[in-house]
Amino acid sequence: MAFSICLHGCTVPRAAKQASLTLLYKFPSSLQHNYCITRTFASASVSIAANKELRSPDLVALEYAGLNLTDKISQELGHVRIRQHVNPLSSSFSVPAPVPDWSEVFRDPTLPLMVDIGSGSGRFLIWLAKQNPDSQNYLGLEIRAKLVKRVEFWVQELALSNIHFIVANATISFKQLVSTYPGPLMLVSILCPDPHFKKRHHKRRVVQKPFVDSILTSLMPGGKVFIQSDVLEVAIDMRKQFDLESGSVQHVDTVDPSVLCDDEGWLLNNPMGIRTEREIHAELEGAKIYWRLYQKRVLCKLDEM
């Protein structure tokens, strides 16, 4: 993919129209400009009218155009109306998810595993799975069943054998699921979790000490935890939980000096190679995204004595 940004209302040559899109993108009002963005795709088409003011769904479609996901699923499932806020402490979400037969859901269940907590629509994880079809497996845990049903359709349509989604309350099911997985747990991502703003609802937040303990216990030595939020309060809350476990994990900039952080210790760049849908929406609204990437310590024999 390639971007070109023009301040002068440029147009795309007629011969290039099939390979690129010219879109009028309205940046946050503080910039006081409309920009003409030309985005070129290697082998994908997105049906968005030229000179249209982009909204979040349009930007998501552009970001994930390479997946070529069809809209047929909406016809088969009906309108997928998703409740944005779910109470994970509800009794209806207290039953652990059944453990699958890993040899049935993955072609090679011994490959290193990435688990995405609250996988949402699943586009982010599908994109990663397509990039690494033979080297990694991907597991998405999502509490909203309709989202899982839709993404299962996409996985089958793309014939991916290294990705699986489970309807699960991660805080209840994570430990049991990953403890039965034959391969190593390489990466856990917690990306823009529900902020549960009200103080009395903070106990609903996914990153609590018992869950952090489950992650760190299950993670392979050298494995990583990636956290992200567009809400500073939530980002700080998650960061504190993992910073308190400095005996088990350390932030990657202490391991690799080439990793760049700002003065507050937040990563300067998203290390995953693609943005989540929430990230796209938040940036469109002018919000800052906060990233931290932790690595589990590798203990030498002297440390274990």
Side-chain angles (χ1 to χ4, degrees), residues 39-83:
R39 183 165 188 171
T40 305
F41 301 88
S43 59
S45 62
V46 181
S47 57
I48 301 176
N51 296 325
K52 175 186 176 182
E53 183 177 320
L54 290 182
R55 297 183 300 173
S56 293
D58 303 324
L59 293 176
V60 170
L62 287 171
E63 189 88 6
Y64 291 95
L67 294 179
N68 292 316
L69 299 176
T70 69
D71 294 328
K72 185 169 60 174
I73 182 62
S74 60
Q75 299 174 7
E76 296 191 7
L77 277 183
H79 179 60
V80 182
R81 185 173 182 177
I82 306 301
R83 185 176 180 180

Side-chain angles (χ1 to χ4, degrees), residues 208-222:
Q208 309 281 351
K209 180 168 173 48
F211 189 46
V212 170
D213 290 343
S214 294
I215 292 174
L216 300 185
T217 300
S218 305
L219 204 63
M220 63 179 282

